[in-house]
Amino acid sequence: MSQYERPNIAAMQGYASGEQPQDGRSIKLNTNENPYPPSPKVAQALADFATEQLRIYPQPDARALRQAVANHHGLAIENVVITHAGDEALRLAVTTFVSPEGVVASTEPTYSLYPVLTQIQGAQMVTQALEADWSLPADFAASMNQADAQLTCVVNPHAPSGHFTSIDALRAVAEELTGVLLVDEAYVDFVDEQGPQDATELVRDLDNVLILRTFSKGYSLAGLRLGYLLGAPSLIKPILEKTRDSYNVDAISQVIGLASIEDQAYAQQTWRTVRGDRELLAADLRQLGFTVADSQTNFLLAQVPEGANAEALYQGLKTKGILVRYFATPRLKDSLRITVGTGEQNQRLAALLTELLAG
Amino acid sequence: MSQYERPNIAAMQGYASGEQPQDGRSIKLNTNENPYPPSPKVAQALADFATEQLRIYPQPDARALRQAVANHHGLAIENVVITHAGDEALRLAVTTFVSPEGVVASTEPTYSLYPVLTQIQGAQMVTQALEADWSLPADFAASMNQADAQLTCVVNPHAPSGHFTSIDALRAVAEELTGVLLVDEAYVDFVDEQGPQDATELVRDLDNVLILRTFSKGYSLAGLRLGYLLGAPSLIKPILEKTRDSYNVDAISQVIGLASIEDQAYAQQTWRTVRGDRELLAADLRQLGFTVADSQTNFLLAQVPEGANAEALYQGLKTKGILVRYFATPRLKDSLRITVGTGEQNQRLAALLTELLAG
């Protein structure tokens, strides 16, 4: 530890990301990547990219991509800021709206990056436990107001449970909150297609809602680091003009992002496949005695059968080359979070779990 | 303005970057880009990149590039953190070492991003004027200690003057400072080749020195957003493990960075050419009556001839398709900051200035 480090930084733990072996030998069902490659249009965009362009600074606000995102959601360009993945979007929301010694709020459990960003800011994290079925408590907004939350982050569909909260319920929360509501829609692309799936209508109607989107999962671009925030112009403007790094999106990411969002047919086909395989995998896991929450994401939270040990199963799978995620927290310690892979990967997982449970 | 914005954010102005026309028609001598394209190895690395790799998260700490940077400087991997360009490196230094209501120090004039990052953090900026010849005042470290500076940023070679401060002088400053010294070596690749040019030896000897490097200028990669910090492991570790975004360098940037730093022969050839052209351009400008500070960078600070108006010259050049930088501050308002372009671009600039001054 350095004497120069700020006390809040010295006292905190960093974010613990899932294992990222780069050897291509493991079956990675641990960090919720899309099992299918990016659109062929991405390879084309990369092949067409002239490296001489890298000599000069990129378009500062990623204008063409920003406009394409606005069009995609039926919003204005002023409602959009492009970010260096969801991580930067979350950090910027904290930087812009949360004072040091202010309060960030979320549910328990939630995405484990939120408390890390809160500690870096020197702010406090306040959480309220989700109901047994992973839904928001009825007094969620009231509790967050009581705690003086400047920013309340809700992952929807929820991680790590996969639970989907209706847009009407989120609207009620946003209307009651005295601070900003950030709806983290990292997994929204995998929600079943009936009904309105996303909260973009809230951006049109309310001045305190930010929606986070990422290209990492839905567009198979976790390696690129690209995402965006949607919100009222009054929320987007200080992020766009003040708190983000001036050239936060590189020139290659801008063209790849554009190629990806324009190829909706390809992306949507991967989402349909993942949704179908999710239900098959859930059925297989239930067959093996797991309790599996209904999921509207590309992962399943699977509580291990009576008598089995989740951490031992995680280790057993790892030994056999399959990575899943295990969280050693009171509410999650009996569960595995399993990313939906290709059909073949899911079958291999189910077969190995059968062996391990019999063992 | 949103009621949800923090007061320090609401009160501040964002960073004003130089104009970035993307039409390819302007001669851009305004933001210190290298006039030559990236190494041919970059095009090769991009052609060899398999887009399927983008599906998964990148190597979290850009390990291979980190090791190559360490080798390049004769340092250990623990001395290196790779960043999303110099902007992120500066932001992380502020985040990690400067408390809200703490103090960031620099010279006057200096890089105009420092006060912006300081205001975002809610901290105070303290500056001391450089001497008439752009050198550091003798009591610089004492003044910064007096102000309780937690982080002192010195651009070397200096922007916007191009003045080079010796490593011995920087060592004396670092040894006297009670806080961290960040030496911003964004332009160090353009320093003349005699003698030690960079401050890496200070990293070996002192626990309070950070050195910032960027691929933007020396390696012609401003469009990519890639840089790094060098420092004692005790300074690097909290940035690497806590305050940076978990996957701050995308997979494509990692391979392009590696290809670039390994092709030293190409990069050094562009530096030699720029150094030679810098001296030719300086001579031409002096011939026209400009007072030009000796520069060890890829730009010149040129005070306009008696009776001429710097802002009018900036506008006149812009009308003719040449962009240079004009700063409307007391010490710089009579000068233009001119990036060294290709020989042909520099001659076109000199010809136009001749016309405008005769006009």
Side-chain angles (χ1 to χ4, degrees):
Chain A
M1 204 195 93
S2 165
Q3 58 178 327
Y4 306 104
E5 215 173 322
R6 286 168 58 200
N8 59 314
I9 307 291
M12 68 177 277
Q13 299 290 318
Y15 174 71
S17 53
E19 297 148 282
Q20 300 297 354
Q22 305 283 315
D23 57 16
R25 286 196 297 269
S26 307
I27 297 181
K28 278 190 88 278
L29 304 179
N30 65 333
T31 52
N32 300 339
E33 287 124 337
N34 192 317
Y36 302 103
S39 156
K41 301 273 170 62
V42 166
Q44 193 56 52
L46 210 51
D48 293 345
F49 186 86
T51 50
E52 302 86 76
Q53 288 182 57
L54 292 176
R55 186 182 71 76
I56 61 165
Y57 281 92
Q59 217 288 323
D61 69 345
R63 184 62 57 98
L65 178 56
R66 218 178 138 212
Q67 185 64 60
V69 166
N71 295 348
H72 177 67
H73 291 290
L75 293 169
I77 194 166
E78 291 78 13
N79 294 118
V80 182
V81 58
I82 309 293
T83 62
H84 192 50
D87 284 1
E88 187 191 29
L90 291 171
R91 176 170 48 73
L92 288 172
V94 172
T95 301
T96 310
F97 303 109
V98 182
S99 313
E101 305 179 16
V103 170
V104 176
S106 192
T107 60
E108 173 54 38
T110 193
Y111 180 28
S112 54
L113 182 62
Y114 300 159
V116 173
L117 294 172
T118 303
Q119 286 174 293
I120 293 172
Q121 184 71 346
Q124 298 297 314
M125 182 93 201
V126 170
T127 61
Q128 187 176 16
L130 289 169
E131 302 294 351
D133 68 352
W134 306 103
S135 64
L136 288 174
D139 64 344
F140 181 67
S143 303
M144 301 302 110
N145 287 343
Q146 180 84 30
D148 279 331
Q150 293 174 296
L151 177 71
T152 299
C153 300
V154 173
V155 199
N156 195 48
H158 181 250
S161 73
H163 180 82
F164 183 70
T165 298
S166 76
I167 305 309
D168 285 347
L170 290 175
R171 178 186 290 271
V173 168
E175 285 176 343
E176 190 176 347
L177 280 177
T178 53
V180 173
L181 174 67
L182 183 145
V183 185
D184 182 340
E185 295 194 333
Y187 300 102
V188 76
D189 297 320
F190 303 103
V191 175
D192 290 338
E193 285 173 282
Q194 63 270 18
Q197 301 166 22
D198 66 48
T200 46
E201 64 179 78
L202 303 187
V203 164
R204 284 188 205 90
D205 301 343
L206 299 168
D207 72 351
N208 69 332
V209 176
L210 284 173
I211 297 179
L212 179 152
R213 292 292 189 104
T214 175
F215 286 81
S216 296
K217 276 85 183 190
Y219 295 90
S220 307
L221 291 172
L224 191 67
R225 320 312 298 132
L226 192 64
Y228 54 91
L229 285 171
L230 305 174
S234 59
L235 293 183
I236 295 297
K237 195 177 161 75
I239 297 175
L240 187 73
E241 297 181 0
K242 297 178 180 177
T243 52
R244 77 181 170 104
D245 292 340
S246 332
Y247 302 98
N248 64 330
V249 182
D250 71 84
I252 296 177
S253 295
Q254 293 188 26
V255 301
I256 289 183
L258 199 56
S260 295
I261 203 162
E262 287 179 351
D263 194 358
Q264 285 297 309
Y266 177 87
Q268 290 177 9
Q269 182 202 311
T270 72
W271 307 342
R272 279 192 298 270
T273 307
V274 168
R275 287 179 200 128
D277 287 340
R278 174 183 71 207
E279 299 314 315
L280 294 174
L281 179 59
D284 282 352
L285 291 170
R286 288 177 183 129
Q287 190 79 34
L288 287 169
F290 285 84
T291 304
V292 183
D294 283 331
S295 171
Q296 292 286 294
T297 64
N298 69 334
F299 56 82
L300 295 168
L301 187 67
Q303 191 179 343
V304 300
E306 196 70 33
N309 179 295
E311 190 170 9
L313 285 177
Y314 155 75
Q315 287 292 355
L317 289 171
K318 187 173 171 177
T319 305
K320 301 283 190 176
I322 298 189
L323 293 173
V324 298
R325 197 82 192 263
Y326 172 70
F327 299 97
T329 65
R331 194 153 172 186
L332 299 173
K333 67 179 169 36
D334 296 326
S335 297
L336 299 176
R337 195 198 63 187
I338 302 169
T339 306
V340 178
T342 62
E344 193 181 339
Q345 290 173 332
N346 300 339
Q347 283 166 22
R348 171 102 182 108
L349 172 80
L352 266 179
L353 283 172
T354 307
E355 270 181 42
L356 289 167
L357 288 169
Chain B
M1 202 194 96
S2 166
Q3 62 182 101
Y4 305 105
E5 214 173 322
R6 287 167 57 200
N8 59 313
I9 307 292
M12 68 178 275
Q13 300 289 319
Y15 175 71
S17 52
E19 296 148 282
Q20 300 296 352
Q22 305 284 314
D23 57 15
R25 285 194 299 269
S26 307
I27 296 182
K28 278 190 88 277
L29 304 180
N30 65 332
T31 53
N32 300 340
E33 288 126 337
N34 192 318
Y36 302 103
S39 157
K41 300 272 170 63
V42 166
Q44 193 54 53
L46 210 52
D48 293 346
F49 187 85
T51 50
E52 302 87 75
Q53 287 182 57
L54 292 176
R55 186 183 72 75
I56 62 165
Y57 282 91
Q59 217 287 323
D61 69 346
R63 184 63 57 99
L65 177 56
R66 218 178 138 214
Q67 185 64 60
V69 167
N71 296 348
H72 177 67
H73 291 289
L75 293 168
I77 195 167
E78 291 78 14
N79 294 119
V80 182
V81 58
I82 310 293
T83 61
H84 192 52
D87 284 1
E88 186 191 30
L90 291 171
R91 175 169 49 72
L92 288 172
V94 172
T95 301
T96 309
F97 303 109
V98 182
S99 313
E101 304 177 16
V103 170
V104 176
S106 193
T107 60
E108 173 54 40
T110 192
Y111 180 28
S112 55
L113 182 62
Y114 300 159
V116 173
L117 294 172
T118 302
Q119 285 173 292
I120 293 172
Q121 183 72 346
Q124 298 297 314
M125 183 92 200
V126 171
T127 60
Q128 188 175 16
L130 290 170
E131 302 294 351
D133 68 351
W134 306 103
S135 64
L136 287 175
D139 63 344
F140 181 66
S143 303
M144 300 302 110
N145 287 342
Q146 180 86 27
D148 279 332
Q150 294 173 298
L151 177 70
T152 299
C153 300
V154 173
V155 199
N156 195 47
H158 181 250
S161 73
H163 180 83
F164 182 70
T165 297
S166 77
I167 305 310
D168 284 347
L170 290 175
R171 177 187 290 273
V173 169
E175 285 176 343
E176 190 177 347
L177 280 177
T178 54
V180 173
L181 174 66
L182 183 145
V183 184
D184 182 340
E185 296 194 333
Y187 301 102
V188 75
D189 298 320
F190 303 103
V191 175
D192 290 338
E193 285 173 282
Q194 64 271 19
Q197 301 165 21
D198 67 47
T200 45
E201 64 178 63
L202 303 186
V203 164
R204 282 188 206 92
D205 300 344
L206 299 168
D207 72 352
N208 70 330
V209 176
L210 283 174
I211 297 178
L212 177 152
R213 291 292 190 103
T214 175
F215 285 82
S216 296
K217 277 86 183 189
Y219 296 89
S220 308
L221 291 172
L224 190 67
R225 320 312 297 131
L226 192 65
Y228 53 91
L229 285 172
L230 305 174
S234 59
L235 294 183
I236 296 297
K237 195 176 161 75
I239 297 175
L240 186 73
E241 297 182 0
K242 296 179 180 178
T243 53
R244 77 182 169 103
D245 291 340
S246 331
Y247 302 97
N248 65 329
V249 182
D250 71 84
I252 296 176
S253 295
Q254 294 188 26
V255 301
I256 289 183
L258 200 55
S260 295
I261 203 163
E262 287 178 351
D263 194 357
Q264 284 297 309
Y266 176 86
Q268 290 177 8
Q269 182 201 312
T270 71
W271 308 342
R272 278 192 298 271
T273 307
V274 168
R275 287 178 200 128
D277 287 339
R278 174 183 69 207
E279 300 313 316
L280 294 175
L281 178 59
D284 282 352
L285 291 171
R286 287 178 184 130
Q287 189 80 33
L288 287 168
F290 286 83
T291 304
V292 184
D294 283 331
S295 171
Q296 292 286 295
T297 64
N298 69 334
F299 55 83
L300 295 168
L301 187 66
Q303 192 180 343
V304 300
E306 196 70 35
N309 180 295
E311 191 170 9
L313 284 176
Y314 155 76
Q315 288 292 356
L317 289 171
K318 187 173 171 176
T319 305
K320 301 282 191 177
I322 298 189
L323 293 172
V324 299
R325 197 84 193 261
Y326 173 70
F327 300 97
T329 64
R331 193 154 173 183
L332 300 172
K333 68 179 168 36
D334 296 326
S335 297
L336 299 175
R337 195 198 63 187
I338 302 169
T339 306
V340 178
T342 62
E344 193 182 338
Q345 290 173 332
N346 300 338
Q347 283 167 23
R348 170 103 181 107
L349 172 80
L352 267 179
L353 283 172
T354 307
E355 270 180 42
L356 289 166
L357 288 169

